[in-house]
Amino acid sequence: MLSAFARAFKTPDLRKKLLFTLGIMVLFRMGAHVPVPGVNFKAVNECVKQSNNGLFGLVNLFSGGALLQLTIFALGIMPYITASIILQLLTVVIPRLEALKKEGQAGQTKITQYTRYLTIALAILQGTGIVATASNGALFSTCTFGNQVVPDTSVFRIATMVITMTAGTTMIMWLGELITDRGIGNGMSILIFTSIASGFPGNLWTIKKLGKLGGGWVDFFAVIAVGVVVVVLVIFVEQAQRRIPVQYAKRMIGRRAFGGTSTYIPLKVNQAGVIPVIFASSLLYIPALVAQLTNSKSGWAVWIQNNFTKGDHPIYMVSYFVLIVFFAFFYVAISFNPEEVADNMKKYGGFIPGIRAGRPTAEYLNYVLTRITWPGSLYLGLIALIPMIGLVALNASTTIPFGGTSILIIVGVGLETVKQIESQLQQRNYEGFLR
């Protein structure tokens, strides 16, 4: 991997793309430290030091810590992720979106435009909720300065803050598209990678300061060692796939023969990616948010505050694991259609050796997909529980960096970025047959 980056910097056009991408990443991180107009920055800093950000941990993770600091990029890339997931789910339900998906590049451009509009709408909605939560002191409920975060709660000031956050989300979308068009590609994923990776040094140093063995250095290096092992395991599982062999029959068109080739259908063990973890986190985030916003003292609110606010509670951990397994099967069921794949194979003369074309092929693909989704979903659940188990084991109040959603996204984006750089290098450094 390091040799690929070294050769990429030796290639002039790739060097420009890499430097452009790094510049956008720096600009993105700078925006994550510019506060929104109307925020008491000193009170925010004090509350961030006292807060364990358990309730808003997911959104804060994707914003690179900008959410709890109430900066112009406080919403981060989360509205775009939510809009993309919603459009992907609606594609299965709405025939018009399904038709656009089948139109190719033109249809995908239209769906991308819809995603942008939905992102802005969600940014306005989420920005209003976060500003309202911060203005009434619920964003930092355990902080003594929680009510001083937003001193001016007039309609004009609140509207200004919401518009600023929405504009920040729109700018993040634009920066991601710039990386996709003029950088090394995969812009939105690289911005997510930047947000998550930016919190690693601070979390590791906090673990060192809170550690009790050898001045904290034993805890520090133990977490790094566990992180390396987790990264290796995640890379191994993310690259694992079941290859279904496909044979295409020869067809005579005029005097020319077409087909007769052999290929395969790659079914990944983790076919759903990180989406089930995001779904499960968001669903468990809703009850605690409702209980906090209503400020109710009834039995159900107290039970939710005790069991669903902190991730180290056994009920929360079991619910989280079960939801991840459920959403893994749910997302795979809506994202991979065995009947559609079987019909396309039959249309172009393809078949799986030993399996009849048509319905038997669809049933076989569904059978294989179900068998490999089980270990994939259990793997996702175990990886997502690593930071929670680490919090209990180390008795820490900070996030364990190597685990859960963060490590899945960082490894996935890292592998995809390396593959893109290597593919562009192969196009520019073809050695030929004669040397």
Side-chain angles (χ1 to χ4, degrees):
M1 182 176 69
L2 295 178
S3 62
F5 279 106
R7 285 187 287 120
F9 273 100
K10 293 179 181 178
T11 307
D13 54 341
L14 271 183
R15 183 172 61 247
K16 291 181 181 178
K17 290 184 177 183
L18 288 171
L19 293 177
F20 179 82
T21 302
L22 291 175
I24 295 295
M25 292 167 65
V26 172
L27 182 63
F28 174 64
R29 288 307 302 159
M30 289 175 60
H33 293 86
V34 179
V36 172
V39 173
N40 187 345
F41 196 62
K42 293 183 179 179
V44 170
N45 285 334
E46 290 296 327
C47 290
V48 168
K49 294 178 182 178
Q50 301 177 20
S51 175
N52 59 2
N53 65 36
L55 180 59
F56 299 95
L58 179 67
V59 184
N60 195 53
L61 174 69
F62 283 102
S63 64
L67 170 65
L68 294 181
Q69 294 180 352
L70 294 176
T71 66
I72 59 175
F73 288 169
L75 299 179
I77 204 71
M78 198 65 183
Y80 183 85
I81 296 175
T82 307
S84 301
I85 294 174
I86 291 175
L87 261 296
Q88 193 170 5
L89 295 177
L90 290 178
T91 303
V92 184
V93 180
I94 301 177
R96 170 60 180 166
L97 293 177
E98 187 176 2
L100 285 175
K101 184 180 179 180
K102 294 180 179 179
E103 288 182 4
Q105 185 62 34
Q108 189 61 43
T109 303
K110 200 69 175 178
I111 293 177
T112 303
Q113 194 69 17
Y114 292 156
T115 305
R116 293 171 184 163
Y117 295 147
L118 184 58
T119 300
I120 295 175
L122 291 175
I124 295 174
L125 183 63
Q126 294 181 14
T128 303
I130 290 173
V131 172
T133 305
S135 61
N136 61 21
L139 184 63
F140 302 102
S141 57
T142 59
C143 179
T144 55
F145 301 97
N147 294 324
Q148 304 176 17
V149 171
V150 183
D152 185 5
T153 58
S154 61
V155 176
F156 176 77
R157 178 60 65 185
I158 296 297
T160 302
M161 295 176 67
V162 173
I163 293 173
T164 303
M165 289 184 177
T166 305
T169 300
T170 306
M171 185 175 180
I172 290 175
M173 275 198 305
W174 178 60
L175 293 177
E177 293 179 357
L178 282 179
I179 294 177
T180 302
D181 295 337
R182 300 176 56 186
I184 59 177
N186 210 13
M188 296 299 178
S189 299
I190 290 179
L191 292 184
I192 297 174
F193 176 93
T194 305
S195 298
I196 296 174
S198 64
F200 275 22
N203 289 332
L204 285 172
W205 190 246
T206 303
I207 290 173
K208 187 267 174 189
K209 292 192 296 183
L210 297 177
K212 300 178 181 179
L213 300 176
W217 288 110
V218 176
D219 305 76
F220 179 82
F221 287 109
V223 170
I224 291 181
V226 172
V228 173
V229 174
V230 171
V231 169
V232 172
L233 292 176
V234 169
I235 291 176
F236 177 76
V237 178
E238 290 295 322
Q239 296 289 86
Q241 57 182 224
R242 169 72 183 276
R243 296 182 176 182
I244 307 296
V246 178
Q247 180 72 36
Y248 285 91
K250 288 186 177 181
R251 294 181 298 169
M252 295 298 297
I253 301 179
R255 295 184 177 180
R256 301 183 62 182
F258 294 88
T261 58
S262 298
T263 183
Y264 60 87
I265 302 175
L267 297 180
K268 295 180 63 177
V269 173
N270 182 21
Q271 189 80 7
V274 75
I275 299 299
V277 181
I278 297 176
F279 278 3
S281 302
S282 302
L283 195 61
L284 290 178
Y285 161 83
I286 294 174
L289 180 63
V290 172
Q292 190 179 70
L293 292 179
T294 56
N295 200 19
S296 175
K297 301 298 181 181
S298 58
W300 66 270
V302 174
W303 188 85
I304 289 176
Q305 290 287 347
N306 293 334
N307 300 322
F308 278 89
T309 301
K310 295 183 178 181
D312 56 355
H313 197 279
I315 296 179
Y316 183 94
M317 296 171 69
V318 172
S319 302
Y320 192 37
F321 184 83
V322 173
L323 284 175
I324 288 175
V325 174
F326 168 76
F327 281 120
F329 279 92
F330 173 76
Y331 188 78
V332 169
I334 66 172
S335 61
F336 186 88
N337 190 351
E339 295 182 357
E340 182 179 352
V341 175
D343 291 340
N344 290 334
M345 289 171 53
K346 186 177 181 180
K347 184 187 301 182
Y348 295 103
F351 63 94
I352 299 175
I355 307 295
R356 293 181 59 186
R359 185 176 181 84
T361 299
E363 293 177 351
Y364 176 75
L365 291 175
N366 185 52
Y367 169 77
V368 174
L369 193 63
T370 303
R371 291 286 296 273
I372 66 174
T373 302
W374 270 113
S377 61
L378 296 177
Y379 145 80
L380 279 178
L382 292 175
I383 290 296
L385 289 180
I386 286 178
M388 301 177 185
I389 298 174
L391 288 176
V392 177
L394 298 176
N395 194 19
S397 59
T398 185
T399 304
I400 303 299
F402 298 107
T405 312
S406 58
I407 203 68
L408 289 171
I409 293 177
I410 283 183
V411 171
V413 176
L415 290 175
E416 185 64 28
T417 303
V418 170
K419 289 179 182 178
Q420 289 183 352
I421 294 176
E422 286 185 346
S423 64
Q424 295 187 35
L425 280 174
Q426 290 176 357
Q427 295 175 2
R428 293 165 174 79
N429 297 293
Y430 178 66
E431 297 179 354
F433 296 103
L434 302 176
R435 298 183 182 180

